[in-house]
Amino acid sequence: MEPGSSSVLLGKSEKKRERGNSKLKLGSMLPKIEPFVPKSDHNPRDLRSWAKRTGFVSTFSSETATSTSGKFDSGAGFDLEKGTDQQNNGGSSPKIEIDPVLGRTRPGRATEIEQDSSYVPGSRNGFRTGRDDKGLGLRDESNKRRIGDEPVSGSKVEEKRTQSNGNGNRVQQHANGSADTNAIANENGNQIPATNPALEPKKEEGNEGRDVGIEFFPGGEEPVDGWWHRQSGMRYGLRDNPGFVPLIFYGLQHYLCLAGSLVFIPLIIVPAMGGTDKDTATVISTMLLVSGITTILNSYFGSRLPLVQGSSFVYLTPALVIINAHEYRNLTEHKFRHIMRELQGAIIIGSIFQSLLGFSGLMSLLLRLINPVVVAPTVTAVGLAFLSYGFPQAGSCVEISIPLILLVLIFALYLRGISIFGHRIFRIYAVPFSVMIIWIYAFFLTAGGAYNFKGCSPGIPSSNILVDQCRKHAYTMQHCRTDVSNAWKTAAWVRIPYPLQWGIPIFHLRTSLIMIIVSLVASVDSVGTYHSTSLLVNSKPPTPGIVSRGIALEGFCSILAGLWGSGTGSTTLTENAHTINVTKVASRRVVELGAVFLIFFSFIGKIGAILASIPQALAAAILCFIWGLTVALGLSTLQYTQTASFRNITIVGVSLFLGLSIPAYFQQYQPESSLILPSYFLSYGAASDGPVHSSSKQFDFAMNALLSMNMVVTLLIAFVLDNTVPGSRQERGVYIWSRAEDMATDPDLHADYSLPEKVAKFFCCSRCLLA
């Protein structure tokens, strides 16, 4: 058969018959086309090579090749839509003709080959391919000819152009590359009347839900390994430089979107550790400094994606567990410093393990077992872990917490489409705008005397209040007033956070074991963020070696966080992917310049003091929104899988339910703890009161603590189920990473992820880092 020609796809060979009245009479104008005749001893590879020459290719996978081979061995033809004519008295499958000029189905046939332009990231070829019950799918290569810059749709075609095919025939084409069959002329100038094939997806009667889709590559280019550069709508790409002034604007904008995730954790842990307002301001300044340094390090030496490194909520739960340990509950003298040093030692040990996991290459092996079905429930459990703290703490002053929750929802959802000067400011700045407005509102309530009680002073600790009337109002004054914090008075104007500022870290086996497991959870969280962000910024996914490099650097950054004493480890913020999607800015330079601003702000002690003055009820209210967003981002990872699969539904549902229920058993094992701890900290006190009892108190503490954490139990169950329950790669949505050899052959991939040239010279093993 001649290369580039098309042929006739026949139905079942034993029932095939001629339908002369349904064919276009092109024999007098075009070369005679030899039909493809399947044989009983046919090899599917022959069909694949034939399909390439005719402009179509069948996507055989390891699962479908076996299931379809029997169909060919039976002597049947290439049955594209089995059962389409089953209702017509059991007639044979229809013939599907391919127009020899256009390489498409001829119009006027009873059967239409449908186009499904839906793109599904993470699938084997990057497309969702319509399949019959055998799992067979088709896609159009068309000898790598351009199909169009935009996906083919059912809308009217406006621009057309005329091209000549190999036989001298002129074909009038649309601007998007689809041919117009009403304007086909042969070499003698005779017009061939024809109708446009339907472009809207339809479903034939009697198809019984089994359809076949022919997929077209956007841009007309064949993707390499199923990936290509999509038009993602980003205002600035990964390597773009918008200019100095826009860099400043977008850099500040990026970090304002993440303000809640960056600075609100100290408002939770420092008061729980018995720290003063000055301590809270100092920890906030330290967190800004560490976040700025680690973000720049990740941009140059890590994954090189525009991801902000900061104190993740993954480390908040174990921090609260350690803070509420039995031996620290009655500690009064230097309680804050002692607990902070304990946290520092545990974070350093866990971070060393994470760094070794990346540099040793073990992370590359572990990536084969980490898939969206594991990542989704794990990240979701991170947000759900704070159910007992969220609104119970926000409800301490409902007159400011409820308006804040409502306002941030109005900005983020109802006003998200409003654009001012080309920027959707309500969607981008939903969190900072809401906090600022409600904070001012709370200030006017305080100044107006809403929380003034006769003879009561808000500056006196509740433990020192002797008057019963004042003790009754102490809780309201402490949580609602905006003037109870003395951070502004005590904080210095200029203060540079320095390593070991709280003292020498304390190392204990029990807390180190906790942080080692938590660092593994943080790595799983970061793997999902790497993959989703790479697709979002219009780049190919990184190689397993680059992912390992990023995880290793995250471990190193957490070591820095432990040395400086920020209270938690440093890892990739999951909310960063949402910020990039909202702002449409994915430039590395933007993130780097914003990190420089964070470092500068950390030296100004009064900035940390202002943030430390935010009322706790207000902080808890905004965290309700951020934790809810974390839950949604975790569940959105399931888009890369077959969400309707019973296997996936069961794994995610069971792992989430048990991930919440099993820790509840550990948390409620000894209810007498409720007499000592506040109700919103009760769930974090199971480490000392859990059901695990053995000869080693260190082991008991670690096991009770780990099994009382939602994210740890959820990860364990989802990991085991996803890697033991049978399922195809498409069903599981297995992450597709770039190959190591692509770094040498793909300039874009190399430019996106390779180390800077000057930096790479200092690494004799840079090839290993890029593998």
Side-chain angles (χ1 to χ4, degrees), residues 253-255 257-258 536 574-585:
Q253 168 186 275
H254 197 88
Y255 287 87
C257 294
L258 295 170
L536 191 62
T574 306
E575 304 85 348
N576 202 118
H578 172 73
T579 302
I580 295 175
N581 188 35
V582 170
T583 61
K584 303 300 181 184
V585 176

Side-chain angles (χ1 to χ4, degrees), residues 16 355 361 369 375 422 496 664 714 732 742 747 749:
K16 60 184 180 179
S355 187
L369 306 177
V375 174
I496 300 177
T714 302
R732 299 171 62 192
D742 293 340
L749 187 64

Side-chain angles (χ1 to χ4, degrees), residues 324-326 329-330 671-679 681-682 689:
N324 290 282
H326 188 274
R329 293 174 186 173
N330 299 322
E672 61 267 17
S673 298
S674 60
L675 302 176
I676 304 174
L677 297 175
S679 59
F681 283 147
L682 182 61
D689 305 317

Side-chain angles (χ1 to χ4, degrees), residues 56-128:
F56 302 95
V57 62
S58 57
T59 53
F60 287 98
S61 64
S62 59
E63 296 90 17
T64 59
T66 305
S67 60
T68 55
S69 60
K71 180 172 164 182
F72 294 121
D73 292 341
S74 62
F78 192 53
D79 192 0
L80 283 175
E81 292 195 12
K82 182 180 180 181
T84 303
D85 287 339
Q86 294 294 331
Q87 296 180 357
N88 295 334
N89 300 325
S92 60
S93 300
K95 302 175 183 178
I96 298 180
E97 298 187 8
I98 308 300
D99 191 284
V101 177
L102 303 178
R104 302 173 57 175
T105 54
R106 286 182 177 176
R109 302 291 296 168
T111 303
E112 294 177 357
I113 299 182
E114 305 162 0
Q115 176 208 355
D116 184 2
S117 59
S118 301
Y119 163 73
V120 177
S123 61
R124 201 173 92 92
N125 291 314
F127 287 92
R128 180 174 63 239

